Amino acid sequence: MTELPDRLSVDPRSPHHDAELLQRGIGIRFNGAEKTNVEEYCVSEGWIRVAVGKTLDRRGNPLTIKLQGKVEPYLRTPAAED
């Protein structure tokens, strides 16, 4: 089983970006509810960043807000067995 990182971002410019892991599919349960619009998460600090509609900032990135709570990441698809 793959250990999920404490922090992960979908932004390729972030130091917390892992394209290979994101391709496998990461699901996030936040305070017990499934979230599909998470841009970044941190388990140890207990927060997620979610996109606010289709609004973009002045650099063309999605506008996000930070929500505090219990973060539970999981893999949507299991690793292929060799």
Side-chain angles (χ1 to χ4, degrees), residues 50-62:
V50 293
V52 180
K54 296 186 184 282
T55 309
L56 302 176
D57 67 8
R58 64 179 178 244
R59 294 181 190 99
N61 300 318

Side-chain angles (χ1 to χ4, degrees), residues 23-77:
Q23 259 187 336
R24 286 186 52 198
I26 300 291
I28 302 291
R29 269 191 289 288
F30 180 69
N31 291 336
E34 182 74 22
K35 293 289 185 182
T36 58
N37 60 342
V38 176
E39 297 288 321
E40 185 175 6
Y41 74 81
C42 183
V43 175
S44 63
E45 295 176 16
W47 57 262
I48 60 172
R49 285 199 177 275
V50 293
V52 180
K54 296 186 184 282
T55 309
L56 302 176
D57 67 8
R58 64 179 178 244
R59 294 181 190 99
N61 300 318
L63 193 61
T64 62
I65 58 172
K66 185 189 260 188
L67 302 174
Q68 300 282 343
K70 184 177 179 184
V71 180
E72 302 172 68
Y74 62 92
L75 287 172
R76 291 184 190 267
T77 55

